[in-house]
Every structure is written in C-alpha cells, then in structure tokens.
Amino acid sequence: MFTTWVVFHVIICIALVLVVLMQSSKGGGLSGSMFGGGGGGGMGGAVFGGRGATSFLSKATTVLAVIFMLNCGALAYMSSRPTGQAGGGVDMDSDSPITRQAQEERQRFMEQQERQQVDQAPGSDTAAPIQITPSEAADTAGATGGGN
C-alpha cells in the first residue's frame, strides 16, 4: 500500500514539473514552442481549445499542486505509523541485517574485553592499569598544592 502511494507521488511530481515547464512566462516558455507559437494559435489551439493552453495549464498546476500537498501529508502520516496501523511505515519488531551485525560485533568486543581483564588479573605477570577514583584525585590535588 505504501509503495503504491510512493509511485503515485512520483507520477504527480513528474506531471507537476511538466505542467509548470509548459507554462509561458512573460511571452516565452515551452508552451509556445511546443504547441506552435504563442497567442493560442497553431497546435496549442487545437489541443487545448480556443482559449489556448494558459487557462488549462493554470488549472492543471493548481489541481496537481493540491494533490501533491495532500499526498505529502498522507505519506508523512503513513511513514510515522508502525507497519500494521496505516499500511506503511517501518516494522519496529524486525532488525535489519546491519543492526544484527552491529550487535554481533559488540558482543565479540565485549567478550574480547572480558578475556583481556581475566588475563590482567592480580595474579598475572602484567600489571593492571591504575584506576583513580574522584576522591583519590582530590586528595592528590590537595597534596600537590591544588593541582596548579
């Protein structure tokens, strides 16, 4: 359902761009060159009627713009909802392959870190890193003259 709305949105976007480009701006534009010159003559008069392309393209632009805005709102609403509620959105329960891979990497890193801590236990050859708590740091700074 969501994919259908997106395809419809793309079609509306393309149609809106084409209609805007076909409109004449101050005597020029693609509508004059595509349909046989300005003034409503040529092929423009035959395709769009006696009044020419101007009124048709203006109305088409308005209609397409309104449809575009409503469709944007509908797509935003559907994408903000979980999958089952509005026919679109993101499935909150499934993990992506990238998320699963990141979780596996994190688990491997945690296991590696635990092995390193066991290897550096108090009975081993290598000395464990010194950890200073905030209270010890304050005592040390006071003994050296305020840490300056």
Side-chain angles (χ1 to χ4, degrees), residues 98-114:
I98 295 172
T99 303
R100 276 185 251 122
Q101 181 182 1
Q103 289 172 347
E104 291 169 1
E105 289 290 328
R106 182 180 180 273
Q107 185 64 32
R108 280 195 291 260
F109 177 74
M110 297 293 280
E111 291 170 359
Q112 181 183 11
Q113 204 170 27
E114 287 176 11

Side-chain angles (χ1 to χ4, degrees), residues 41-118:
M43 192 172 173
V47 173
F48 295 112
R51 295 187 60 193
T54 306
S55 64
F56 171 77
L57 291 176
S58 296
K59 290 176 185 176
T61 302
T62 303
V63 169
L64 288 172
V66 168
I67 292 172
F68 174 81
M69 287 183 237
L70 292 174
N71 201 25
C72 284
L75 286 172
Y77 176 75
M78 288 192 313
S79 66
S80 69
R81 311 300 286 168
T83 302
Q85 292 184 4
V90 179
D91 188 7
M92 299 296 181
D93 295 333
S94 68
D95 291 334
S96 70
I98 295 172
T99 303
R100 276 185 251 122
Q101 181 182 1
Q103 289 172 347
E104 291 169 1
E105 289 290 328
R106 182 180 180 273
Q107 185 64 32
R108 280 195 291 260
F109 177 74
M110 297 293 280
E111 291 170 359
Q112 181 183 11
Q113 204 170 27
E114 287 176 11
R115 285 193 302 267
Q116 287 176 351
Q117 288 176 353
V118 169

